[in-house]
Amino acid sequence: MNGEVFDIYRLSSHDGPGLRTVIFLKGCPLRCKWCHNPESFKTNKEVWINHLKCIKCGKCILECPTNSLKMVENRIILDRESCINCLKCSEICPPKAITSVSKTYSVEELLKIIKREIPFMEKSGGGVTISGGEPLLQSGFLIELLKNLKSLNLHTAVDTCGFISWDKLNSILPYTDLILYDLKIYNDELHKEYTGVSNKLILENLKKIGKLAEIWIRTPLIPKATSTKENIAHIGQFIKENLIDNISRWELCAFNPLASDKYIKLNMSWDYSNDNLLSLHELNNLKNIAIENIGVSEKVITSGFTSKD
Amino acid sequence: MDFKYDKERIGALIERSHTLAVENKRNVYVDNPEFLVYHWSGEAAAFSPNTGELSAAEDTRINIGDHNARVDVGGPFPFAKEMPSKVKGFEYSCGNWAEDYAFFLDHSPAEVLENERVVGEFHWMLEEARFFQYPEAQRKLGRDARELGAGGISFTHTCPDLGIGLKLGWGGLLDKVKANREKFTKYGNIPSAEYLAASEVVLKAIMRYVEKHADVAKDKFENETDTKNRSNYDFIEKNCRAIISEPPKTFAQAVQWIQLFTTVERINGHGNGYGRLDQLLIDFYRKDIKDGILTKDEAVSLIAELYLKYGGNYWSFGGRDINSKDATNEMSWVCLHAYDITGGYNHLGLMWHEDIDKEFFNYGCDVLARHNCGTPTLVNFDVLRDSQLRSGVKEEDAWNMAYSGCQWYCVVGNEYNDQDLNSFVLVQPMQKAMKIAEDKNITDFEEFWSIYDTEVDKTAEILKDFKNETYKWQAKVWPEMVTSLCMHGTIESGRDVTDIQAVKYNFTSVNVLGVPNVIDSMFAMKKLVFEQKKYTLKQLIEAVESDWESNEIMRYDFLHQNKFGNDIDDVDELGVRISEHIREILESKRNIKGFNFRPSLFQYMGHTYAGELLGATPDGRKRAEPFAHGMNPMHGRNTEGMAATMDSFCKLDYTKYQGGSFQVEIQPSFFPEGSRKGDLVETFAKVFFEKGGVQINLNTIDLEKLKDAMENPTKQEYKHLVVKVTGYSAHFVVLDRKFQEEFIQRVNYASL
Ligand code: SF4
Ligand code: SF4
């Protein structure tokens, strides 16, 4: 069975306990305005362009069956409307300026990569995390992979946005040791505005899953959107009321504006390229609010880049 | 950890140490880029002397960092013109050398500085005042060797057994020298008798020099009113006076003895590793603790001072004892605690093995991670030992191995490996082979390989001739008479450590430069020229000679072939073949001491400057880019993560080589909040060692900070910024700009 993978992090220390291999599966039902991985949105294969690498040889233009590529003012322009994602351009581009966003892997191929990192996992108490996108959009592949990982006795974690049918979510639990659950905005109107979808299903699923698996909640701290006092307080209250005994961690991840290049490569615009880093002071304030609201200090963890005060 | 020590006093010494570094008072210079690449500049017979007739011009010499034992006070040695060899005449002889040495030491000040309780530092080295150059025949061979891609210099890079001196003291060494001199005189062995007569001259000068320290301390004591300072001067005077002739009796005296030994030894120009500090001092430590005259905290501060005197001295801890048991002892902990106080620039080696005290190793990893200066260096003791056993070192000697330099190691007191200072630029025979193959219209890879084989052999052959010519002269040109006092067999045979038949083991060790580039180049040629026949050798040679000018598309073709370091079998297999081949060729060559050459898959800095000298290469590398460092994949070419790189790296059997360090640069963001960094470092190190890796150098690099430090080197916050450059550490702001640039390019594990 094959899956579409847009990135692999090796020996990550940020996505679950210990050192972990993190597999990012392509495709996501949400469209968070701040998203750092816009290449994960669509489930299908597609190309993107690193203009700094392009040597303007024009080979890709000749190769394209749909004439979707043009050289305009010494810059390669891709018309995504007509592009049929055949990847031919990426196969011949000499400096690899045009590349495929993702790569197709079989379970076996991924296992080969993962196995190489097992000694690190064993010594550090780590394992494998499957992230996305929303990995459950490729749920068949996901289950197959998880089963294989469990047969190798590896610790498994799945990072989900929760916007997925309960049945699907439930189906991975037998093979999943830890769920990293993203909870972004408590207010449903704002959730719709910033992510494109309602959070009803997300909250419902969380209540259910909280009783069945170990959970780490993750909240990205996005300027103006999620990093408001009210939002953190509300999420804190929700956790306290519904799952405080079941979660082992609530992680507040400070935002960084480091995804601009990706948006340029996909010729998309992004509102967050000029946003500043959160200051350490602001981050600590939010952390205190979180602690006040869930009432347990050791469960709140912060991560990510901050600026000096 | 909380240690009780005089924070004000040690703090002042720490600050002084950083200040000396960033004010460029500790710099080591080399004459030119050729020195870095070939380990011989064509001029100086060593590193570039800081002053004097043989020093290089200020605007052309290259600063390799604050790696010098010498503390610069400006200006040349004031008595340089009055050196005996200049007044009475120069001779290539040990007697002539010893007379110069004695004069030099007699005219070097004894420094007793405020806040110190351990003394000994110097401002000039003998090579700044005495002629140090080989005869023309040797130099001509050196120039010929360079044409074929080899070079080197020779001076001690060995590890004396300081236990010999600690046991006998200077007076006991003098008695030993005299007794052997009488023996050789009686039996008519004039050269050995003469050598020992010269040793006497050296020893007596050292004893005067030690006494001078006691006298200066006494003088300072008498003219001082502050009680704390008085007590320090009194302590120094007593310790120095006690060890003028007698062996040290207390821990403090032993530390003082060691510091003065390294002072009088390094003053003649070059540095050694000094062995297993925990083993050398354990008996003194236990006795003083038992006698109630020393506390652990006092021991920690004395060792901290020893490190601060000159952090470039390589010391090692841990390892195994003669019965193959873990050798970690209380003193090992003291040695690490001492570094935990000082942090910063230093060169300490922690020798891991499977049975090492777990807490001790974890503490070492924690110290490494917290201070983030690449110290201690983590090495795999069993691989060091086994590589020695494989080379023919006897069981009874091989256990006593000490990590002694950037990546090299020695049997303590028994080995004069000519290490770390010979270079084999593997790219050059490959380039020659390409031209020959083109002339002969070779179209088959194996035929090309056989030409390459011949060319590599030619380079090895001339390197052997050059080294042998050097060995014929070395003991006369620049004997290492102080080192020889603490070697086994040297005084007994009346021969200098650099001489033939002086010590048990005399391999010649060679740093091989550019192995990963040769692997990537040969692999790309194999695929594109010989198998697919997409390009001819002629086209390729023209393209690399023009630095790929107008051949950009072709360059990408070569660049995008599989690269070493990603755990890809086909290219890694060729990597093993190439490495094994250079090893076999070097091992087939013998020096006139009867020992073979040994390869080290390491070269400390040549890769930064080699680009301009050697041009572009068929791996898609452009002229201006650095070469790969040691056996590490080229910058940016390991795309499959660190585990894959480790696996490629460890496809070689490191017991067959003499070192090959794995360099890891990671970003601070790698360590999550609240994590114990040391535990992650320990994980990396253990996985690596269990795969058979020999040495891991780890830096956490904050790229933004380093870039800012390059632009604003005088900012106070960068004064303490120390990085593990390759096998040695240095203050970042002091480094040559090209080194800084290369260092920044290295961050190869943004995502591991
Ligand atoms: S093939 Fe690649 S390098 Fe050439 S024009 Fe297209 S994108 Fe640019
Ligand atoms: S992916 Fe195919 S259709 Fe799209 S631009 Fe490239 S070559 Fe044209």
Side-chain angles (χ1 to χ4, degrees):
Chain A
M1 188 176 261
N2 289 342
E4 212 45 41
V5 175
F6 74 88
D7 210 348
I8 299 176
Y9 283 4
R10 332 279 175 153
L11 307 182
S12 164
S13 51
H14 296 280
D15 303 278
L19 293 172
R20 312 186 71 82
T21 312
V22 188
I23 312 283
F24 293 84
L25 300 188
K26 198 161 165 4
C28 188
L30 271 56
R31 289 291 177 271
C32 304
K33 289 191 173 166
W34 58 79
C35 182
H36 273 95
N37 297 324
E39 74 276 31
S40 75
F41 289 165
K42 297 182 189 158
T43 324
N44 58 279
K45 288 177 179 292
E46 58 189 321
V47 293
W48 58 354
I49 308 175
N50 182 340
H51 296 280
L52 293 175
K53 279 190 173 178
C54 172
I55 54 168
K56 283 109 193 164
C57 67
K59 285 192 169 220
C60 54
I61 301 174
L62 300 175
E63 197 73 15
C64 178
T66 53
N67 292 326
S68 306
L69 289 157
K70 276 197 214 58
M71 188 79 76
V72 182
E73 288 171 1
N74 221 10
R75 185 181 169 96
I76 282 286
I77 302 292
L78 164 63
D79 172 28
R80 288 192 184 267
E81 292 287 301
S82 59
C83 167
I84 52 163
N85 301 315
C86 70
L87 306 185
K88 287 207 168 112
C89 51
S90 70
E91 281 151 20
I92 62 108
C93 171
K96 301 196 177 174
I98 300 192
T99 50
S100 170
V101 162
S102 58
K103 201 176 153 192
T104 310
Y105 282 93
S106 66
V107 171
E108 291 69 39
E109 284 167 332
L110 283 180
L111 288 177
K112 188 175 172 220
I113 291 172
I114 290 164
K115 277 183 186 161
R116 200 188 270 147
E117 307 192 345
I118 288 178
F120 294 90
M121 297 171 192
E122 281 173 347
K123 288 209 162 49
S124 65
V128 179
T129 298
I130 324 281
S131 182
E134 170 48 59
L136 279 147
L137 288 190
Q138 298 188 42
S139 60
F141 180 73
L142 175 62
I143 290 193
E144 195 57 31
L145 181 57
L146 287 169
K147 277 186 189 164
N148 274 281
L149 294 172
K150 283 323 291 177
S151 71
L152 291 170
N153 264 327
L154 294 175
H155 180 274
T156 54
V158 172
D159 185 359
T160 176
C161 70
F163 191 75
I164 202 84
S165 76
W166 171 249
D167 287 349
K168 277 196 177 164
L169 198 52
N170 195 29
S171 69
I172 63 165
L173 295 185
Y175 320 105
T176 307
D177 299 307
L178 172 68
I179 297 280
L180 306 174
Y181 204 103
D182 297 352
L183 200 48
K184 292 156 181 137
I185 301 176
Y186 186 76
N187 178 300
D188 197 27
E189 287 312 307
L190 291 175
H191 197 276
K192 281 183 201 148
E193 183 186 335
Y194 281 103
T195 72
V197 303
S198 158
N199 67 9
K200 285 220 171 61
L201 178 63
I202 297 173
L203 295 175
E204 281 308 308
N205 279 341
L206 180 55
K207 279 191 214 166
K208 288 192 214 160
I209 206 172
K211 299 191 174 63
L212 302 170
E214 188 191 350
I215 309 282
W216 288 13
I217 305 272
R218 305 220 282 187
T219 303
L221 297 177
I222 312 299
K224 298 184 277 287
T226 69
S227 67
T228 63
K229 290 178 190 160
E230 300 73 39
N231 187 42
I232 298 301
H234 278 140
I235 295 179
Q237 281 302 320
F238 176 84
I239 293 174
K240 190 175 179 189
E241 282 160 25
N242 297 291
L243 19 92
I244 188 66
D245 296 333
N246 303 321
I247 67 149
S248 39
R249 208 184 242 226
W250 178 18
E251 186 178 344
L252 304 175
C253 321
F255 170 85
N256 67 63
L258 299 177
S260 307
D261 288 351
K262 288 185 171 180
Y263 282 88
I264 295 169
K265 282 167 80 175
L266 288 161
N267 45 332
M268 290 165 74
S269 62
W270 194 42
D271 295 342
Y272 289 85
S273 29
N274 295 319
D275 269 25
N276 291 326
L277 291 178
L278 218 58
S279 74
L280 188 58
H281 177 72
E282 288 168 302
L283 180 65
N284 283 333
N285 276 346
L286 293 169
K287 183 177 180 180
N288 288 335
I289 293 170
I291 293 170
E292 273 166 35
N293 282 280
I294 67 164
V296 196
S297 64
E298 19 356 309
K299 290 193 177 181
V300 179
I301 304 286
T302 56
S303 66
F305 296 102
T306 53
S307 64
K308 287 200 182 121
D309 289 290
Chain B
M1 298 262 172
D2 196 25
F3 307 104
K4 282 181 221 73
Y5 64 97
D6 186 341
K7 293 209 166 75
E8 207 185 303
R9 185 175 74 80
I10 300 285
L13 293 174
I14 292 173
E15 208 41 39
R16 174 172 189 259
S17 165
H18 284 299
T19 306
L20 288 175
V22 299
E23 288 181 354
N24 295 304
K25 305 230 160 94
R26 288 283 205 194
N27 292 350
V28 173
Y29 295 101
V30 299
D31 286 342
N32 50 30
E34 283 83 352
F35 181 93
L36 294 168
V37 176
Y38 300 102
H39 293 350
W40 182 52
S41 69
E43 299 298 329
F47 288 93
S48 186
N50 291 56
T51 69
E53 292 95 358
L54 299 170
S55 67
E58 259 182 57
D59 54 340
T60 55
R61 64 186 183 178
I62 297 168
N63 170 23
I64 67 164
D66 52 313
H67 195 42
N68 210 329
R70 174 188 188 273
V71 174
D72 196 281
V73 286
F77 179 59
F79 306 94
K81 291 203 179 71
E82 294 152 48
M83 293 290 285
S85 63
K86 288 184 186 152
V87 178
K88 295 195 255 169
F90 174 85
E91 247 177 49
Y92 281 130
S93 77
C94 54
N96 192 273
W97 189 92
E99 219 183 321
D100 264 1
Y101 177 85
F103 177 89
F104 191 79
L105 209 56
D106 285 339
H107 290 81
S108 292
E111 295 289 12
V112 176
L113 305 173
E114 207 175 317
N115 292 314
E116 290 185 329
R117 281 167 82 80
V118 178
V119 294
E121 81 175 31
F122 60 88
H123 308 307
W124 296 278
M125 296 197 194
L126 187 57
E127 62 197 18
E128 294 174 69
R130 177 179 168 82
F131 180 71
F132 184 12
Q133 193 54 275
Y134 282 81
E136 177 52 25
Q138 185 261 11
R139 302 180 63 187
K140 166 150 193 337
L141 265 171
R143 289 190 294 270
D144 294 348
R146 170 173 309 176
E147 288 298 308
L148 300 185
I153 49 175
S154 286
F155 48 69
T156 59
H157 248 49
T158 185
C159 183
D161 184 353
L162 269 52
I164 298 174
L166 287 169
K167 195 163 153 225
L168 296 176
W170 299 112
L173 287 169
L174 187 60
D175 292 343
K176 183 175 166 188
V177 165
K178 282 181 176 161
N180 280 289
R181 183 184 169 190
E182 274 168 31
K183 179 182 79 183
F184 286 119
T185 311
K186 183 173 156 199
Y187 294 112
N189 180 342
I190 305 305
S192 289
E194 278 176 356
Y195 179 80
L196 293 170
S199 285
E200 263 186 65
V201 172
V202 166
L203 267 166
K204 285 177 182 160
I206 293 172
M207 289 162 80
R208 289 193 295 275
Y209 186 66
V210 178
E211 186 170 16
K212 190 154 60 172
H213 283 82
D215 293 345
V216 171
K218 181 165 183 268
D219 196 46
K220 292 214 163 181
F221 172 79
E222 282 163 1
N223 291 304
E224 178 65 65
T225 48
D226 179 86
T227 38
K228 205 170 127 190
N229 289 345
R230 276 172 69 88
S231 131
N232 291 342
Y233 294 139
D234 186 44
F235 185 80
I236 292 164
E237 198 226 322
K238 293 209 170 90
N239 286 335
C240 288
R241 212 168 291 287
I243 57 169
I244 295 169
S245 173
E246 292 292 305
K249 293 192 183 59
T250 65
F251 181 84
Q253 286 171 14
V255 173
Q256 181 60 74
W257 195 93
I258 287 173
Q259 176 54 29
L260 284 171
F261 177 87
T262 59
T263 306
V264 299
E265 199 219 33
R266 293 200 71 124
I267 207 168
N268 72 27
H270 337 113
N272 289 314
Y274 294 101
R276 303 170 67 166
L277 194 56
D278 48 358
Q279 304 304 318
L280 286 172
L281 288 172
I282 184 65
D283 291 344
F284 291 100
Y285 178 76
R286 283 185 184 145
K287 182 170 179 298
D288 283 13
I289 294 273
K290 191 165 143 257
D291 295 348
I293 57 168
L294 179 77
T295 64
K296 181 178 173 188
D297 289 330
E298 280 163 3
V300 169
S301 346
L302 284 168
I303 299 296
E305 257 196 77
L306 182 69
Y307 295 162
L308 288 168
K309 295 302 295 179
Y310 169 52
N313 283 344
Y314 285 84
W315 298 107
S316 55
F317 329 118
R320 292 182 190 270
D321 66 12
I322 193 163
N323 300 313
S324 223
K325 297 254 158 44
D326 181 23
T328 308
N329 56 37
E330 309 94 280
M331 196 57 217
S332 319
W333 284 89
V334 169
C335 290
L336 268 187
H337 287 323
Y339 178 73
D340 209 355
I341 290 180
T342 65
Y345 172 84
N346 224 302
H347 291 97
L348 309 171
L350 175 44
M351 302 192 290
W352 176 88
H353 53 89
E354 269 178 29
D355 307 316
I356 197 166
D357 179 332
K358 290 197 171 46
E359 258 180 75
F360 179 66
F361 187 66
N362 181 269
Y363 176 54
C365 293
D366 177 52
V367 168
L368 169 61
R370 266 191 290 114
H371 291 281
N372 191 27
C373 301
T375 307
T377 300
L378 307 175
V379 295
N380 187 341
F381 182 83
D382 290 351
V383 175
L384 308 189
R385 183 202 54 203
D386 293 355
S387 79
Q388 297 285 56
L389 286 169
R390 181 187 172 277
S391 295
V393 170
K394 298 205 167 67
E395 295 273 353
E396 68 252 35
D397 298 320
W399 72 273
N400 198 8
M401 199 60 52
Y403 163 74
S404 304
C406 290
Q407 100 305 351
W408 51 272
Y409 44 93
C410 253
V411 182
V412 175
N414 274 311
E415 181 169 2
Y416 176 58
N417 272 9
D418 189 6
Q419 299 184 94
D420 202 36
L421 295 161
N422 302 309
S423 177
F424 193 112
V425 184
L426 196 58
V427 180
Q428 262 170 270
M430 178 188 75
Q431 289 171 328
K432 283 227 153 61
M434 285 165 65
K435 289 231 170 83
I436 295 168
E438 195 237 312
D439 275 351
K440 294 187 172 170
N441 280 321
I442 299 295
T443 54
D444 173 72
F445 181 73
E446 290 307 319
E447 283 177 46
F448 172 68
W449 177 272
S450 99
I451 297 171
Y452 167 76
D453 168 63
T454 309
E455 292 308 304
V456 172
D457 191 77
K458 274 188 203 157
T459 307
E461 191 62 26
I462 197 157
L463 175 64
K464 181 202 71 181
D465 292 343
F466 175 47
K467 293 314 299 187
N468 281 341
E469 188 62 24
T470 307
Y471 295 151
K472 279 184 208 158
W473 285 94
Q474 193 180 358
K476 288 183 248 162
V477 172
W478 205 269
E480 304 279 354
M481 302 193 67
V482 185
T483 313
S484 299
L485 296 170
C486 283
M487 298 298 291
H488 296 283
T490 37
I491 304 303
E492 293 84 341
S493 64
R495 282 174 183 270
D496 192 75
V497 61
T498 60
D499 209 344
I500 294 158
Q501 283 176 6
V503 288
K504 263 193 192 170
Y505 306 110
N506 291 281
F507 301 97
T508 303
S509 172
V510 184
N511 292 340
V512 189
L513 174 65
V515 180
N517 298 93
V518 171
I519 298 171
D520 290 350
S521 294
M522 298 267 271
F523 186 79
M525 284 192 274
K526 185 167 184 267
K527 291 284 153 196
L528 295 171
V529 176
F530 296 107
E531 286 174 14
Q532 297 169 20
K533 313 230 184 272
K534 196 165 170 186
Y535 304 97
T536 64
L537 258 186
K538 185 165 190 283
Q539 279 172 305
L540 175 61
I541 291 170
E542 279 167 13
V544 290
E545 279 180 352
S546 69
D547 197 17
W548 303 101
E549 191 88 17
S550 342
N551 287 297
E552 210 38 8
I553 293 178
M554 178 178 175
R555 181 172 90 86
Y556 282 113
D557 229 357
F558 281 81
L559 186 64
H560 290 143
Q561 297 304 308
N562 287 345
K563 297 293 181 222
F564 173 75
N566 295 300
D567 193 19
I568 303 172
D569 286 339
D570 54 6
V571 60
D572 286 0
E573 272 159 25
L574 184 63
V576 172
R577 183 177 179 190
I578 286 167
S579 312
E580 285 291 276
H581 175 256
I582 174 71
R583 179 183 65 71
E584 279 165 15
I585 290 207
L586 284 170
E587 283 183 352
S588 75
K589 308 290 170 203
R590 281 200 186 258
N591 63 33
I592 49 169
K593 299 178 179 184
F595 287 78
N596 60 267
F597 284 60
R598 289 170 74 181
S600 156
L601 298 174
F602 172 89
Q603 214 263 18
Y604 44 92
M605 266 302 162
H607 62 288
T608 51
Y609 272 89
E612 291 295 335
L613 292 174
L614 303 174
T617 37
D619 53 348
R621 207 195 109 266
K622 295 187 84 167
R623 171 185 288 272
E625 289 180 71
F627 276 86
H629 161 225
M631 199 61 200
N632 296 280
M634 256 302 268
H635 312 75
R637 288 189 187 168
N638 44 339
T639 51
E640 298 302 306
M642 193 177 70
T645 306
M646 243 187 217
D647 281 355
S648 287
F649 201 89
C650 293
K651 282 176 188 166
L652 292 171
D653 176 355
Y654 284 89
T655 63
K656 292 179 169 176
Y657 298 84
Q658 199 175 29
S661 53
F662 187 61
Q663 190 83 22
V664 182
E665 272 80 31
I666 48 184
Q667 302 238 39
S669 57
F670 173 76
F671 299 102
E673 187 202 67
S675 68
R676 219 169 148 266
K677 290 184 187 179
D679 290 346
L680 288 175
V681 169
E682 187 180 352
T683 298
F684 287 156
K686 276 194 181 162
V687 171
F688 180 63
F689 289 153
E690 283 169 11
K691 286 180 192 288
V694 63
Q695 176 175 338
I696 184 161
N697 295 333
L698 198 130
N699 282 297
T700 312
I701 296 184
D702 187 338
L703 269 186
E704 295 312 313
K705 194 161 145 187
L706 290 189
K707 283 180 191 153
D708 190 51
M710 275 177 80
E711 299 319 315
N712 305 291
T714 53
K715 273 195 194 168
Q716 180 61 24
E717 61 188 290
Y718 300 136
K719 188 172 175 184
H720 299 181
L721 185 61
V722 171
V723 295
K724 185 96 178 168
V725 187
T726 53
Y728 67 99
S729 298
H731 282 76
F732 185 75
V733 294
V734 180
L735 283 178
D736 178 80
R737 188 149 183 114
K738 224 176 161 82
F739 292 1
Q740 292 177 333
E741 284 166 1
E742 185 266 350
F743 194 81
I744 280 176
Q745 278 185 40
R746 276 192 214 165
V747 181
N748 40 9
Y749 300 115
S751 147
L752 295 167

